[in-house]
Structures are given as C-alpha cells and as structure tokens.
C-alpha cells in the first residue's frame, strides 16, 4: 500500500470545508465564496475555542484571533503619505504613528510577527508592542530597532529561519526568505542593524533588515503561510504545504519565476490570498483603493495563479473582514 502523506491529507480535507469570502475586487477578479460572520469574543480559556478568524489590514498586515489570543503580522495601520503613489516619493518622510487609527483596532496582541523592517511593515510595531505587551518576533534588525524605540528586551525575540515556536494551541515556524527587487534590480533601503541605532526619525531610517516568512499552524485548524515581499527562497519551503498562502504581489518582473517557484515550493495551496496590492497610503476603508498599474498587476497575478495552480482558489480580501479557513 502506498504511504500516505498525513500533512497533505489533512490539508486537503480541511480545504474542503474552508469558509472564505471575496468581496469588492473579487467579484470580477477571483472566485467568490461565502463570507464567515464575525463572532463575539469568547471567554478567556487556556486553549482555543471557536473559529479562527483572519482580518486583512492592508499591505501585508493581518490580525489573527485564535480564541482569546491575537497574533499580528506586519501591522501597519498609520498608512502615512510618503508620495509613493502620487509622487514624488519622499524618503525623508517623518515616521508618524497614528494612534487614533491604531487604538480602536488593537485592543490586544500576544505576538507580533515581522517579515522585515521597512516602514510599511514595522513602523507601528513598537507602539503596538508597548501598548499591548506583545512579544515581537523578527530579524536581528527588528530586535535592535525595537530597543531603539524603547521596547523592553524581554518583549523582543530575534529569529532567522528554521525555528518552530510552540504556543500551545498554535505554532509558528519561521522561514528564511528574500525581499523583492525593483525594476533596477535593487532593494529599497537595504541594510541591517547589528547594534542598537539612534531612534529612527524618517522612513529611510527603517531598512529592509533581511526578510522572513511565517507558517502559522492552528491546532485543529488551518495552516497559513505569510509573506511580506515578493521573492522566495523556495528550498526553505520544503515540507511546509500550507492550506492557505498570503502572497505578496510583484511590483516588477526582475525576480524570475516568482509565482511558479513559490506555489510549487508550497505544494500548491488550496487557497491563495494576494496581498500588498493596495494603495497603503489611503484610509483603511472598503473598497480598497488600487492604483491603476497595480490593478493590472493584480489581475495578471490572479490569472497566473489560476494557470500555475488551477486547483487553488484565489481570494482577494477586503479590509477588516473576518475570513475563516
């Protein structure tokens, strides 16, 4: 009798019962599915109770509620105007944390997972960590930047890929990854921080600082892979086989075979969720604002996923909508 791949079997079984919703852009760009209603916050327990919800906060940001625990990925809610979408792009834009936007949305957090430390991924993290007491996981650069912001070292955990972190009702596997390159084959704000720097003042003070991916496995629930940039070290993906993949959209074609390598490395997930396609310098309200060139790239990405992985469902998310996988 042929051997049975347990992870693949469980993934395929779970995918048949996934409840996902695709509103707005998805009505014309991707396969629609049923929306999962928001649930009232459950009473605190030592283990997960009720459905797990995933809410997109734009860019590569997510809020994941697992019972009475909340995990954040790249939470960027301030969405400050740098001129990136309207021009000219101002690399000296001051870092201005919008507490009025963050506070109503971040009532709690147990952990924050940082893929890399560009401003649109990391800028709000130190404030959120100090507000909630959350532990921040990220590169050594994220660790040193956290210290610069005054986050206690007891809340900062440097990781680099390969770690499997057990939180009881869920686990997080850290995956070494790569940042995307622009049309000139360069990375914006390259560099790392190997010691505590001065307090960052502008977006240019937050370098890429190396890039990670994260695989979240929920006990009795889905496994979900999070990307924060559109490049991939596919050899690091062997054996992950997530049910769902949050996939950053490319803004240039300088990274060869990005989607084919990523989707093959992830064993062709049942659900693919494009992220990092919205204009993240506009308000967090639906429908998401999309620059014309990015809308074209999004449509091309959806078509490419369908061609490369025809069994995958493409879900184009709306802001702050609870998705249950």
């Amino acid at each position: 009798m042929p051997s049975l791949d347990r992870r693949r079997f469980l993934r395929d079984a779970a995918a048949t019962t996934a409840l996902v919703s695709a509103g707005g852009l998805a009505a014309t760009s991707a396969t629609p599915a049923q929306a999962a209603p928001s649930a009232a916050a459950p009473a605190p327990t030592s283990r997960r109770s009720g459905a797990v919800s995933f809410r997109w906060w734009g860019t590569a940001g997510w809020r994941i509620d697992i019972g009475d625990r909340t995990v954040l990925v790249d939470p960027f809610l301030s969405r400050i105007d740098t001129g990136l979408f309207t021009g000219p792009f101002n690399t000296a834009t001051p870092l201005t944390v919008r507490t009025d936007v963050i506070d109503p949305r971040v009532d709690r957090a147990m952990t924050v997972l940082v893929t890399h430390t560009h401003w649109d991924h990391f800028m709000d993290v130190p404030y959120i960590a100090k507000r909630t007491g959350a532990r921040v996981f990220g590169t050594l650069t994220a660790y040193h930047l956290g210290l610069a912001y005054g986050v206690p070292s007891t809340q900062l955990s440097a990781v680099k890929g390969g770690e499997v972190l057990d939180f009881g009702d869920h686990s997080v596997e850290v995956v070494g990854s790569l940042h995307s390159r622009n049309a000139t084959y360069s990375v914006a704000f390259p560099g790392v921080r190997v010691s505590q720097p001065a307090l960052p003042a502008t977006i240019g003070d937050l370098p890429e600082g190396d890039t990670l991916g994260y695989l979240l496995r929920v006990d009795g629930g889905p496994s979900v892979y999070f990307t924060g940039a559109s490049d991939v070290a596919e050899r690091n993906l062997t054996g992950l086989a997530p049910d769902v993949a949050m996939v950053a959209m490319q803004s240039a074609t300088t990274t060869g075979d990005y989607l084919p390598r990523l989707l093959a490395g992830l064993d062709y997930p049942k659900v693919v969720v494009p992220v990092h396609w919205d204009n993240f310098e506009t308000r967090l309200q639906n429908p998401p604002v999309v620059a014309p060139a990015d809308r074209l790239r999004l449509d091309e990405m959806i078509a490419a996923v369908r061609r490369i992985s025809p069994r995958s469902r493409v879900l184009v998310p709306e802001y702050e909508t609870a998705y249950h996988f």
Side-chain angles (χ1 to χ4, degrees):
M1 177 179 179
S3 61
L4 179 64
D5 185 331
R6 178 176 179 273
R7 181 179 292 162
R8 179 68 177 269
F9 172 78
L10 292 175
R11 188 197 70 180
D12 289 354
T16 62
T17 59
L19 290 177
V20 294
S21 168
L25 288 171
T28 58
S29 298
T31 305
Q34 182 179 354
S38 301
T45 62
S46 59
R47 300 287 288 177
R48 179 176 70 87
S49 62
V52 182
S53 64
F54 296 76
R55 290 176 172 83
W56 185 47
W57 275 347
T59 324
W62 289 88
R63 171 175 174 149
I64 305 102
D65 289 299
I66 307 170
D68 63 333
R69 294 176 164 188
T70 296
V71 178
L72 306 181
V73 180
D74 284 0
F76 175 62
L77 295 165
S78 293
R79 300 169 71 87
I80 60 174
D81 183 5
T82 69
L84 181 63
F85 290 86
T86 58
F89 178 47
N90 180 12
T91 61
T93 300
L95 294 166
T96 305
V97 174
R98 296 277 311 279
T99 60
D100 60 316
V101 177
I102 297 171
D103 289 352
R105 292 175 168 86
V106 186
D107 55 330
R108 66 185 189 188
M110 184 186 77
T111 53
V112 180
L113 309 178
V114 177
T115 65
H116 63 285
T117 50
H118 278 154
W119 86 97
D120 54 325
H121 298 256
F122 182 79
M123 189 186 89
D124 291 340
V125 169
Y127 173 77
I128 289 171
K130 289 189 283 188
R131 170 176 165 79
T132 64
R135 175 168 290 278
V136 177
F137 292 88
T139 61
L140 192 60
T141 296
Y143 176 87
H144 286 129
L145 287 170
L147 293 177
Y149 276 99
V151 179
S153 61
T154 52
Q155 287 179 240
L156 299 168
S157 293
V159 289
K160 56 185 177 181
E163 298 90 347
V164 179
L165 310 168
D166 188 351
F167 296 98
D169 56 1
H170 68 280
S171 67
V172 173
E173 184 168 348
V174 186
V175 181
S177 191
L178 298 169
H179 195 277
S180 48
R181 294 181 178 272
N182 59 28
T184 63
Y185 298 87
S186 299
V187 174
F189 305 147
V192 298
R193 295 289 181 264
V194 296
S195 61
Q196 180 178 332
L199 179 66
T202 71
I203 63 170
D205 294 332
L206 296 180
E208 177 256 337
D210 293 331
T211 296
L212 301 169
Y214 295 94
L215 178 69
L216 173 72
R217 293 189 181 99
V218 179
D219 183 22
S223 60
V224 181
Y225 185 66
F226 296 89
T227 69
S230 56
D231 201 348
V232 57
E234 66 267 32
R235 292 171 181 81
N236 293 339
L237 305 179
T238 302
L240 298 185
D243 303 310
V244 183
M246 312 305 193
V247 178
M249 184 185 74
Q250 282 183 295
S251 61
T253 59
T254 48
T255 296
D257 295 326
Y258 163 60
L259 282 174
R261 292 187 294 119
L262 176 64
L263 295 175
L266 293 175
D267 199 17
Y268 304 103
K270 292 299 182 183
V271 182
V272 175
V273 183
V275 296
H276 220 324
W277 47 264
D278 62 319
N279 180 338
F280 51 82
E281 298 187 354
T282 59
R283 293 178 59 191
L284 196 69
Q285 62 182 15
N286 290 314
V289 175
V290 192
D294 288 337
R295 177 53 193 260
L296 178 61
R297 280 190 282 264
L298 177 61
D299 288 342
E300 290 172 346
M301 177 181 178
I302 292 167
V305 172
R306 287 176 167 169
R307 182 177 65 254
I308 297 162
S309 183
R311 293 182 59 207
S312 296
R313 169 177 286 175
V314 180
L315 163 63
V316 180
E318 288 194 323
Y319 297 140
E320 303 190 279
T321 300
Y323 297 104
H324 298 169
F325 299 106

